[in-house]
Amino acid sequence: MVDKALGGAGLRGQTAGQTALCTVGKTGTGLTYRGYDISDLASNTTFEEVAHLILHGELPNAEQLSGFRTRLQAQRELPAVLREVLERIPATAHPMDVMRTGASMLGNLEPEGDFSNQSRVAERLLSSLPGIILYWYRFSHDGVRVETASDAPSIAEHFLTMLHDVPRSALHSQVMDTSLVLYAEHEFNASTFTARVCASTLSDMHSCVTGAIGSLRGPLHGGANEAAMELIEQFETPEEAIAGVKGMLERKDLIMGFGHAIYRTSDPRNTVIKALAESLSDEAGDRKYFDISAAVEKLMWDEKELFANADFFHASAYHTMGIPTKLFTPIFVCSRVTGWTAHVMEQRAKNRIIRPSAEYVGPEPRRVKPISER
C-alpha cells in the first residue's frame, strides 16, 4: 500500500532497487564508486580509470588502461551526417537540447542492435558526447568546424582543446579531469532513474541516454552550477555578495548550489572541487569569484546551515578555465553518461520492468451523463 505521507515527497528515502555501482550518503564520506571512496579516486586516478571502473567493474591495470584509452580515442570522430544535423541547430538552442538531439541522432546512424553491443555503444557515447556539444558550439558561435577526432590523451584534454584550439595548462587539464571523476556517477538520481526505467522496458541504449539527458535538463537536477555562476557574477566583492545574498534569503529566493536531497551535513565532492577552484584562481592571479563563492558558502552555513554541494565551486572553477556558462551542464553529461550506461547494463542484467503504482486521489466512481445533461 502506498504511504500517503509520500504525496509530493518525490520518493525521497524510498529504496527503488539495487545497485553495485555506487553508494550515496551511506559510508565514509558518503560517496563511493564500486567500493572506492570519491576522495581516494579524485586524488589517485584519472577519469578514464574511473570510467573503466564504472563500466567494466574494476580499476584497470596499465595494459587495460592503455587499451581503453585507445578505444575511446578511436571513437571520437562524429559521422558527417551528425555534423550536418548539428550545423542546423541554431546558436539560440539550449545546449542540453543539442546533447539530447546528438545522442538520439547517433542512435539512428549507429543503432545498438543486439544488447551484446552495449559496452561498445557505452564507450562510443562516452567518446563522442564532448565532440557533439563542442562541434555545435564552435560552429554556431564561432563559425568554426572543430575537428572532433584527436589524439589528446584524455577526454578532459580533448574537451579543452576543442574549446580553446590549443592545449591548456596542466592544472586546467587536472581540474577538468577531476571534475569528470566527481560527476561520473551518483546512484538513483533523477536522470539515472530515468535511464533505468527506460532500460527496464528493454529499450535501446541511445533511448535510455536521451531520456536521461532530458531529465538532467531540468533546473532542479542539472544546471545548478550555471545558476551558481549567474549568482556570483552579480557581485564585485565578497562584502557585496554577503549583502546581496542576505537580501535573497530575506525574500526567500531560491539559491542554487546548496544542500542536497541525500547528504545532510556536507557534500564530499565539494571539498575536492573547492580546493581546485582556489588553485585555479591563484594560478590565474584573480581570486575574485573564488573569494565571493567562499563568502557566500560561509554565509549560507551561518544563516541556514546549508552546505555547498558539488555544483557551487564548479562555477568559479569552470569560469576560470574560460568555459562558457552555457556549457557547464553539458560537461555534466559528458561525465555522467558513464554512470547512466553502466546503470542501463546493470538493469538489463537482472531486469524486471519498473512499473510502480500510484495512490489515486481523484473523484469517486461515477457514471457518464448524456451530453445533453452535462
Side-chain angles (χ1 to χ4, degrees):
M1 182 176 179
V2 175
D3 183 350
K4 292 185 179 182
L6 292 178
L11 298 181
R12 290 189 180 185
Q14 304 303 301
T15 299
Q18 296 181 326
T19 183
L21 296 173
C22 180
T23 66
V24 176
K26 294 181 177 66
T27 60
T29 63
L31 178 58
T32 68
Y33 299 165
R34 292 196 185 272
Y36 292 99
D37 186 273
I38 189 63
S39 299
D40 194 7
L41 291 170
S43 298
N44 298 301
T45 66
T46 63
F47 176 58
E48 280 74 15
E49 289 174 89
V50 168
H52 188 283
L53 168 69
I54 293 172
L55 290 172
H56 301 295
E58 296 293 343
L59 286 170
N61 59 31
E63 182 179 356
Q64 291 169 328
L65 179 59
S66 177
F68 185 56
R69 286 184 184 276
T70 298
R71 292 198 305 275
L72 295 180
Q73 288 172 333
Q75 297 183 81
R76 289 172 177 169
E77 187 169 13
L78 303 182
V81 174
L82 177 52
R83 296 197 301 271
E84 291 172 13
V85 168
L86 293 171
E87 289 184 12
R88 291 177 179 270
I89 300 175
T92 54
H94 193 296
M96 291 293 284
D97 294 345
V98 177
M99 298 293 270
R100 183 190 65 210
T101 298
S104 181
M105 189 63 194
L106 190 63
N108 283 287
L109 299 172
E110 301 175 4
E112 180 180 13
D114 189 271
F115 288 175
S116 62
N117 297 315
Q118 63 183 2
S119 291
R120 175 186 58 78
V121 173
E123 292 182 1
R124 171 62 161 155
L125 284 163
L126 179 61
S127 300
S128 59
L129 283 172
I132 285 173
I133 188 59
L134 287 174
Y135 187 89
W136 164 79
Y137 181 82
R138 295 299 307 279
F139 181 82
S140 63
H141 290 67
D142 303 332
V144 173
R145 288 185 170 93
V146 70
E147 179 57 64
T148 61
S150 82
D151 58 0
S154 69
I155 290 174
E157 291 175 77
H158 177 53
F159 185 98
L160 291 173
T161 301
M162 282 191 293
L163 178 60
H164 298 297
D165 293 326
V166 295
R168 306 298 279 180
S169 74
L171 180 59
H172 283 210
S173 296
Q174 176 196 348
V175 173
M176 176 58 72
D177 192 81
T178 303
S179 174
L180 296 174
V181 170
L182 297 177
Y183 276 139
E185 163 58 5
H186 215 235
E187 200 221 51
F188 280 18
N189 55 83
S191 57
T192 299
F193 196 62
T194 298
R196 289 194 74 128
V197 170
C198 190
S200 79
T201 70
L202 300 184
S203 191
D204 67 291
M205 182 78 77
H206 296 93
S207 293
C208 298
V209 170
T210 300
I213 293 171
S215 288
L216 187 61
R217 187 194 192 285
L220 294 185
H221 183 17
N225 46 24
E226 295 181 27
M229 192 65 227
E230 291 168 3
L231 171 68
I232 63 176
E233 67 184 355
Q234 297 178 45
F235 309 115
E236 292 298 320
T237 65
E239 294 74 21
E240 186 180 322
I242 290 170
V245 173
K246 280 185 175 180
M248 295 176 70
L249 291 174
E250 291 171 0
R251 295 190 300 272
K252 301 187 185 303
D253 293 343
L254 180 63
I255 300 174
M256 301 294 285
F258 289 88
H260 195 271
I262 304 296
Y263 302 122
R264 288 292 170 260
T265 58
S266 65
D267 185 331
R269 299 167 297 179
N270 179 58
T271 302
V272 177
I273 194 61
K274 179 180 178 180
L276 291 173
E278 184 170 23
S279 295
L280 282 168
S281 298
D282 289 340
E283 181 186 70
D286 182 0
R287 291 179 58 95
K288 174 181 174 180
Y289 288 125
F290 177 81
D291 289 342
I292 287 172
S293 298
V296 173
E297 178 190 35
K298 183 178 186 305
L299 175 68
M300 291 295 289
W301 181 256
D302 290 344
E303 295 286 328
K304 295 292 183 180
E305 290 194 355
L306 286 174
F307 56 88
N309 58 36
D311 296 310
F312 189 66
F313 280 94
H314 264 102
S316 61
Y318 286 165
H319 179 81
T320 304
M321 290 192 288
I323 299 172
T325 303
K326 67 193 308 180
L327 296 183
F328 288 7
T329 307
I331 294 173
F332 196 141
V333 175
C334 293
S335 171
R336 186 58 61 83
V337 69
T338 314
W340 290 337
T341 53
H343 275 277
V344 169
M345 292 188 279
E346 185 177 62
Q347 180 67 37
R348 289 171 171 178
K350 194 176 181 181
N351 189 57
R352 187 173 182 182
I353 191 168
I354 299 173
R355 200 294 187 191
S357 297
E359 178 189 9
Y360 178 69
V361 295
E364 294 299 319
R366 48 186 174 169
R367 297 182 65 83
V368 175
K369 292 180 181 180
I371 195 168
S372 59
E373 298 178 15
R374 295 178 209 161

Short mmCIF file of all heavy atoms in Angstrom, two decimals, residues 96 183-199 205 207-218 220-223 269 329 332-333 335-341 343-344 354:
data_model
loop_
_atom_site.label_atom_id
_atom_site.label_comp_id
_atom_site.label_asym_id
_atom_site.label_seq_id
_atom_site.Cartn_x
_atom_site.Cartn_y
_atom_site.Cartn_z
N MET A 96 21.54 21.66 -23.73
CA MET A 96 21.11 20.32 -23.37
C MET A 96 20.19 19.72 -24.43
O MET A 96 20.15 18.50 -24.62
CB MET A 96 20.41 20.35 -22.01
CG MET A 96 21.35 20.64 -20.86
SD MET A 96 22.55 19.32 -20.59
CE MET A 96 21.50 18.11 -19.80
N TYR A 183 31.65 13.91 -11.16
CA TYR A 183 30.29 13.88 -11.71
C TYR A 183 29.91 12.54 -12.33
O TYR A 183 28.77 12.38 -12.80
CB TYR A 183 30.15 14.96 -12.78
CG TYR A 183 29.81 16.35 -12.27
CD1 TYR A 183 30.43 17.47 -12.83
CD2 TYR A 183 28.85 16.55 -11.29
CE1 TYR A 183 30.11 18.76 -12.40
CE2 TYR A 183 28.53 17.83 -10.84
CZ TYR A 183 29.16 18.93 -11.40
OH TYR A 183 28.83 20.20 -10.98
N ALA A 184 30.79 11.56 -12.33
CA ALA A 184 30.60 10.36 -13.15
C ALA A 184 29.41 9.50 -12.74
O ALA A 184 28.78 8.86 -13.59
CB ALA A 184 31.87 9.51 -13.13
N GLU A 185 29.07 9.47 -11.47
CA GLU A 185 28.03 8.54 -11.01
C GLU A 185 27.46 9.03 -9.68
O GLU A 185 28.17 9.64 -8.87
CB GLU A 185 28.64 7.13 -10.88
CG GLU A 185 27.87 6.12 -10.06
CD GLU A 185 26.46 5.84 -10.54
OE1 GLU A 185 26.05 6.36 -11.59
OE2 GLU A 185 25.74 5.12 -9.83
N HIS A 186 26.16 8.80 -9.47
CA HIS A 186 25.54 9.25 -8.22
C HIS A 186 24.26 8.49 -7.90
O HIS A 186 23.25 9.08 -7.54
CB HIS A 186 25.29 10.75 -8.24
CG HIS A 186 25.49 11.41 -6.92
ND1 HIS A 186 24.52 12.19 -6.30
CD2 HIS A 186 26.56 11.41 -6.07
CE1 HIS A 186 24.97 12.63 -5.15
NE2 HIS A 186 26.22 12.18 -4.98
N GLU A 187 24.30 7.18 -8.04
CA GLU A 187 23.20 6.30 -7.65
C GLU A 187 21.90 6.65 -8.37
O GLU A 187 21.92 7.00 -9.54
CB GLU A 187 23.08 6.31 -6.12
CG GLU A 187 22.33 5.14 -5.51
CD GLU A 187 21.42 5.61 -4.39
OE1 GLU A 187 20.64 6.55 -4.59
OE2 GLU A 187 21.54 5.02 -3.30
N PHE A 188 20.74 6.56 -7.68
CA PHE A 188 19.44 6.67 -8.33
C PHE A 188 18.92 8.11 -8.38
O PHE A 188 17.79 8.40 -7.99
CB PHE A 188 18.42 5.78 -7.62
CG PHE A 188 18.47 4.32 -7.99
CD1 PHE A 188 19.58 3.78 -8.60
CD2 PHE A 188 17.41 3.49 -7.70
CE1 PHE A 188 19.63 2.44 -8.93
CE2 PHE A 188 17.45 2.15 -8.02
CZ PHE A 188 18.57 1.61 -8.64
N ASN A 189 19.74 9.04 -8.85
CA ASN A 189 19.26 10.40 -9.06
C ASN A 189 18.23 10.39 -10.20
O ASN A 189 18.01 9.38 -10.86
CB ASN A 189 20.43 11.32 -9.39
CG ASN A 189 21.21 10.79 -10.57
OD1 ASN A 189 20.85 11.01 -11.72
ND2 ASN A 189 22.29 10.04 -10.31
N ALA A 190 17.62 11.54 -10.45
CA ALA A 190 16.51 11.59 -11.39
C ALA A 190 16.88 11.11 -12.79
O ALA A 190 16.15 10.34 -13.43
CB ALA A 190 15.94 13.01 -11.45
N SER A 191 18.02 11.58 -13.31
CA SER A 191 18.39 11.20 -14.67
C SER A 191 18.78 9.73 -14.76
O SER A 191 18.41 9.04 -15.73
CB SER A 191 19.53 12.09 -15.18
OG SER A 191 20.66 12.03 -14.33
N THR A 192 19.50 9.24 -13.77
CA THR A 192 19.87 7.82 -13.77
C THR A 192 18.65 6.94 -13.64
O THR A 192 18.53 5.90 -14.32
CB THR A 192 20.86 7.53 -12.63
OG1 THR A 192 22.04 8.31 -12.83
CG2 THR A 192 21.23 6.06 -12.58
N PHE A 193 17.71 7.33 -12.79
CA PHE A 193 16.49 6.54 -12.64
C PHE A 193 15.68 6.56 -13.94
O PHE A 193 15.09 5.54 -14.33
CB PHE A 193 15.66 7.05 -11.47
CG PHE A 193 14.60 6.07 -11.03
CD1 PHE A 193 14.94 4.82 -10.55
CD2 PHE A 193 13.25 6.41 -11.10
CE1 PHE A 193 13.98 3.92 -10.14
CE2 PHE A 193 12.28 5.52 -10.69
CZ PHE A 193 12.63 4.26 -10.22
N THR A 194 15.69 7.69 -14.63
CA THR A 194 15.05 7.76 -15.94
C THR A 194 15.66 6.73 -16.88
O THR A 194 14.95 6.00 -17.59
CB THR A 194 15.19 9.17 -16.54
OG1 THR A 194 14.54 10.11 -15.70
CG2 THR A 194 14.59 9.24 -17.94
N ALA A 195 16.99 6.68 -16.91
CA ALA A 195 17.68 5.73 -17.78
C ALA A 195 17.31 4.30 -17.42
O ALA A 195 17.09 3.45 -18.30
CB ALA A 195 19.19 5.92 -17.69
N ARG A 196 17.21 4.00 -16.12
CA ARG A 196 16.88 2.63 -15.70
C ARG A 196 15.43 2.28 -16.01
O ARG A 196 15.14 1.13 -16.40
CB ARG A 196 17.18 2.45 -14.21
CG ARG A 196 18.67 2.44 -13.90
CD ARG A 196 18.96 1.92 -12.51
NE ARG A 196 18.79 0.49 -12.41
CZ ARG A 196 19.69 -0.36 -11.92
NH1 ARG A 196 20.86 0.09 -11.51
NH2 ARG A 196 19.44 -1.64 -11.85
N VAL A 197 14.52 3.22 -15.85
CA VAL A 197 13.12 2.95 -16.20
C VAL A 197 13.03 2.64 -17.69
O VAL A 197 12.36 1.67 -18.11
CB VAL A 197 12.22 4.15 -15.84
CG1 VAL A 197 10.83 3.97 -16.43
CG2 VAL A 197 12.13 4.30 -14.32
N CYS A 198 13.70 3.44 -18.51
CA CYS A 198 13.71 3.19 -19.95
C CYS A 198 14.34 1.84 -20.27
O CYS A 198 13.82 1.07 -21.07
CB CYS A 198 14.46 4.33 -20.65
SG CYS A 198 14.30 4.33 -22.45
N ALA A 199 15.46 1.54 -19.61
CA ALA A 199 16.13 0.26 -19.84
C ALA A 199 15.25 -0.92 -19.44
O ALA A 199 15.30 -1.99 -20.07
CB ALA A 199 17.45 0.22 -19.07
N MET A 205 20.06 1.54 -25.87
CA MET A 205 20.93 2.37 -25.05
C MET A 205 20.79 3.85 -25.39
O MET A 205 20.75 4.71 -24.49
CB MET A 205 22.39 1.94 -25.24
CG MET A 205 23.40 2.71 -24.41
SD MET A 205 23.46 2.18 -22.69
CE MET A 205 24.40 0.64 -22.85
N SER A 207 18.19 5.47 -26.52
CA SER A 207 16.94 6.00 -25.96
C SER A 207 17.07 6.24 -24.47
O SER A 207 16.58 7.25 -23.94
CB SER A 207 15.79 5.02 -26.23
OG SER A 207 15.50 4.93 -27.60
N CYS A 208 17.73 5.32 -23.78
CA CYS A 208 17.92 5.48 -22.33
C CYS A 208 18.74 6.72 -22.02
O CYS A 208 18.40 7.49 -21.10
CB CYS A 208 18.61 4.24 -21.75
SG CYS A 208 17.68 2.70 -21.95
N VAL A 209 19.81 6.95 -22.77
CA VAL A 209 20.66 8.11 -22.53
C VAL A 209 19.96 9.40 -22.94
O VAL A 209 20.06 10.42 -22.25
CB VAL A 209 22.00 7.95 -23.27
CG1 VAL A 209 22.81 9.24 -23.25
CG2 VAL A 209 22.81 6.81 -22.63
N THR A 210 19.21 9.36 -24.04
CA THR A 210 18.46 10.54 -24.46
C THR A 210 17.45 10.94 -23.39
O THR A 210 17.30 12.13 -23.07
CB THR A 210 17.73 10.27 -25.79
OG1 THR A 210 18.70 9.95 -26.80
CG2 THR A 210 16.94 11.47 -26.25
N GLY A 211 16.76 9.96 -22.82
CA GLY A 211 15.82 10.24 -21.73
C GLY A 211 16.52 10.82 -20.51
O GLY A 211 16.01 11.74 -19.87
N ALA A 212 17.68 10.28 -20.19
CA ALA A 212 18.44 10.77 -19.04
C ALA A 212 18.87 12.23 -19.25
O ALA A 212 18.80 13.05 -18.33
CB ALA A 212 19.67 9.89 -18.81
N ILE A 213 19.29 12.56 -20.47
CA ILE A 213 19.66 13.94 -20.77
C ILE A 213 18.46 14.85 -20.57
O ILE A 213 18.57 15.95 -20.01
CB ILE A 213 20.21 14.06 -22.20
CG1 ILE A 213 21.55 13.32 -22.32
CG2 ILE A 213 20.39 15.54 -22.60
CD1 ILE A 213 22.08 13.20 -23.74
N GLY A 214 17.29 14.40 -21.01
CA GLY A 214 16.08 15.20 -20.82
C GLY A 214 15.79 15.46 -19.36
O GLY A 214 15.38 16.56 -18.97
N SER A 215 16.02 14.46 -18.50
CA SER A 215 15.81 14.66 -17.07
C SER A 215 16.83 15.61 -16.47
O SER A 215 16.51 16.45 -15.63
CB SER A 215 15.88 13.31 -16.33
OG SER A 215 14.74 12.53 -16.60
N LEU A 216 18.09 15.49 -16.90
CA LEU A 216 19.13 16.36 -16.37
C LEU A 216 18.92 17.81 -16.83
O LEU A 216 19.38 18.74 -16.16
CB LEU A 216 20.51 15.87 -16.82
CG LEU A 216 21.72 16.58 -16.23
CD1 LEU A 216 21.76 16.44 -14.72
CD2 LEU A 216 23.02 16.05 -16.85
N ARG A 217 18.23 18.00 -17.92
CA ARG A 217 17.98 19.36 -18.43
C ARG A 217 17.19 20.20 -17.44
O ARG A 217 17.33 21.42 -17.38
CB ARG A 217 17.22 19.28 -19.75
CG ARG A 217 17.04 20.62 -20.45
CD ARG A 217 15.99 20.48 -21.55
NE ARG A 217 15.93 21.61 -22.46
CZ ARG A 217 15.40 22.80 -22.18
NH1 ARG A 217 14.93 23.04 -20.97
NH2 ARG A 217 15.35 23.74 -23.10
N GLY A 218 16.34 19.58 -16.64
CA GLY A 218 15.51 20.32 -15.71
C GLY A 218 16.34 21.01 -14.64
O GLY A 218 17.29 20.43 -14.11
N LEU A 220 15.99 21.62 -11.57
CA LEU A 220 16.07 21.05 -10.23
C LEU A 220 17.03 19.87 -10.16
O LEU A 220 17.28 19.33 -9.07
CB LEU A 220 14.67 20.61 -9.75
CG LEU A 220 13.67 21.74 -9.52
CD1 LEU A 220 12.37 21.18 -8.93
CD2 LEU A 220 14.24 22.82 -8.60
N HIS A 221 17.57 19.45 -11.29
CA HIS A 221 18.56 18.36 -11.30
C HIS A 221 19.88 18.89 -11.84
O HIS A 221 20.84 19.04 -11.11
CB HIS A 221 18.03 17.20 -12.13
CG HIS A 221 18.92 15.99 -12.15
ND1 HIS A 221 19.93 15.78 -11.23
CD2 HIS A 221 18.95 14.91 -12.98
CE1 HIS A 221 20.53 14.62 -11.50
NE2 HIS A 221 19.97 14.09 -12.56
N GLY A 222 19.95 19.20 -13.11
CA GLY A 222 21.14 19.81 -13.67
C GLY A 222 21.02 21.33 -13.63
O GLY A 222 19.98 21.89 -13.29
N GLY A 223 22.07 21.99 -13.98
CA GLY A 223 22.02 23.44 -14.11
C GLY A 223 22.36 24.23 -12.87
O GLY A 223 22.42 25.47 -12.92
N ARG A 269 32.09 15.85 -2.53
CA ARG A 269 32.68 16.35 -3.77
C ARG A 269 33.07 17.82 -3.66
O ARG A 269 33.96 18.30 -4.37
CB ARG A 269 31.69 16.15 -4.93
CG ARG A 269 31.34 14.68 -5.17
CD ARG A 269 30.15 14.53 -6.09
NE ARG A 269 28.93 15.11 -5.49
CZ ARG A 269 27.73 15.13 -6.09
NH1 ARG A 269 27.61 14.62 -7.30
NH2 ARG A 269 26.69 15.67 -5.48
N THR A 329 26.51 22.53 -17.77
CA THR A 329 25.72 21.31 -17.61
C THR A 329 26.04 20.26 -18.67
O THR A 329 26.06 19.06 -18.36
CB THR A 329 24.21 21.64 -17.59
OG1 THR A 329 23.97 22.64 -16.59
CG2 THR A 329 23.39 20.42 -17.24
N PHE A 332 28.61 18.02 -17.40
CA PHE A 332 27.98 17.04 -16.52
C PHE A 332 27.56 15.82 -17.33
O PHE A 332 27.81 14.66 -16.94
CB PHE A 332 26.76 17.72 -15.87
CG PHE A 332 26.18 17.04 -14.66
CD1 PHE A 332 25.72 17.81 -13.60
CD2 PHE A 332 26.03 15.67 -14.59
CE1 PHE A 332 25.15 17.23 -12.48
CE2 PHE A 332 25.45 15.06 -13.47
CZ PHE A 332 25.01 15.84 -12.42
N VAL A 333 26.94 16.03 -18.49
CA VAL A 333 26.51 14.93 -19.36
C VAL A 333 27.70 14.11 -19.83
O VAL A 333 27.66 12.87 -19.83
CB VAL A 333 25.74 15.47 -20.58
CG1 VAL A 333 25.39 14.34 -21.55
CG2 VAL A 333 24.46 16.18 -20.14
N SER A 335 30.37 13.48 -18.44
CA SER A 335 30.82 12.62 -17.36
C SER A 335 29.78 11.59 -16.96
O SER A 335 30.04 10.38 -16.93
CB SER A 335 31.17 13.48 -16.14
OG SER A 335 31.42 12.67 -15.01
N ARG A 336 28.55 12.05 -16.68
CA ARG A 336 27.52 11.17 -16.13
C ARG A 336 27.04 10.10 -17.10
O ARG A 336 26.44 9.10 -16.68
CB ARG A 336 26.34 12.01 -15.63
CG ARG A 336 25.25 11.25 -14.88
CD ARG A 336 25.76 10.51 -13.64
NE ARG A 336 26.33 11.40 -12.66
CZ ARG A 336 25.62 12.09 -11.74
NH1 ARG A 336 24.30 11.97 -11.71
NH2 ARG A 336 26.24 12.87 -10.88
N VAL A 337 27.32 10.25 -18.40
CA VAL A 337 26.97 9.19 -19.33
C VAL A 337 27.63 7.87 -18.93
O VAL A 337 27.12 6.79 -19.22
CB VAL A 337 27.34 9.58 -20.79
CG1 VAL A 337 28.85 9.62 -20.99
CG2 VAL A 337 26.68 8.63 -21.78
N THR A 338 28.74 7.97 -18.22
CA THR A 338 29.41 6.77 -17.70
C THR A 338 28.47 6.04 -16.74
O THR A 338 28.23 4.83 -16.89
CB THR A 338 30.70 7.16 -16.95
OG1 THR A 338 31.43 8.10 -17.72
CG2 THR A 338 31.54 5.94 -16.68
N GLY A 339 27.96 6.75 -15.75
CA GLY A 339 27.04 6.13 -14.81
C GLY A 339 25.75 5.69 -15.46
O GLY A 339 25.24 4.60 -15.18
N TRP A 340 25.20 6.51 -16.34
CA TRP A 340 23.93 6.15 -16.99
C TRP A 340 24.05 4.82 -17.73
O TRP A 340 23.20 3.94 -17.59
CB TRP A 340 23.53 7.24 -17.99
CG TRP A 340 23.10 8.54 -17.39
CD1 TRP A 340 22.62 8.76 -16.12
CD2 TRP A 340 23.11 9.81 -18.03
NE1 TRP A 340 22.34 10.09 -15.94
CE2 TRP A 340 22.62 10.76 -17.10
CE3 TRP A 340 23.47 10.25 -19.31
CZ2 TRP A 340 22.49 12.11 -17.42
CZ3 TRP A 340 23.35 11.59 -19.62
CH2 TRP A 340 22.86 12.51 -18.68
N THR A 341 25.08 4.71 -18.56
CA THR A 341 25.20 3.49 -19.37
C THR A 341 25.51 2.28 -18.51
O THR A 341 25.03 1.18 -18.79
CB THR A 341 26.27 3.68 -20.46
OG1 THR A 341 27.50 4.12 -19.88
CG2 THR A 341 25.81 4.69 -21.51
N HIS A 343 24.39 1.85 -15.47
CA HIS A 343 23.11 1.51 -14.86
C HIS A 343 22.20 0.80 -15.85
O HIS A 343 21.44 -0.10 -15.48
CB HIS A 343 22.42 2.76 -14.31
CG HIS A 343 22.87 3.13 -12.93
ND1 HIS A 343 22.33 2.54 -11.80
CD2 HIS A 343 23.80 4.01 -12.49
CE1 HIS A 343 22.91 3.06 -10.72
NE2 HIS A 343 23.81 3.95 -11.11
N VAL A 344 22.23 1.22 -17.11
CA VAL A 344 21.44 0.54 -18.13
C VAL A 344 21.87 -0.93 -18.22
O VAL A 344 21.03 -1.85 -18.24
CB VAL A 344 21.60 1.23 -19.50
CG1 VAL A 344 21.01 0.37 -20.62
CG2 VAL A 344 20.91 2.59 -19.49
N ILE A 354 10.15 -1.63 -14.54
CA ILE A 354 9.87 -0.73 -13.41
C ILE A 354 8.51 -0.09 -13.64
O ILE A 354 8.34 0.75 -14.54
CB ILE A 354 10.97 0.35 -13.29
CG1 ILE A 354 12.33 -0.32 -13.03
CG2 ILE A 354 10.64 1.34 -12.18
CD1 ILE A 354 13.51 0.64 -13.06
#
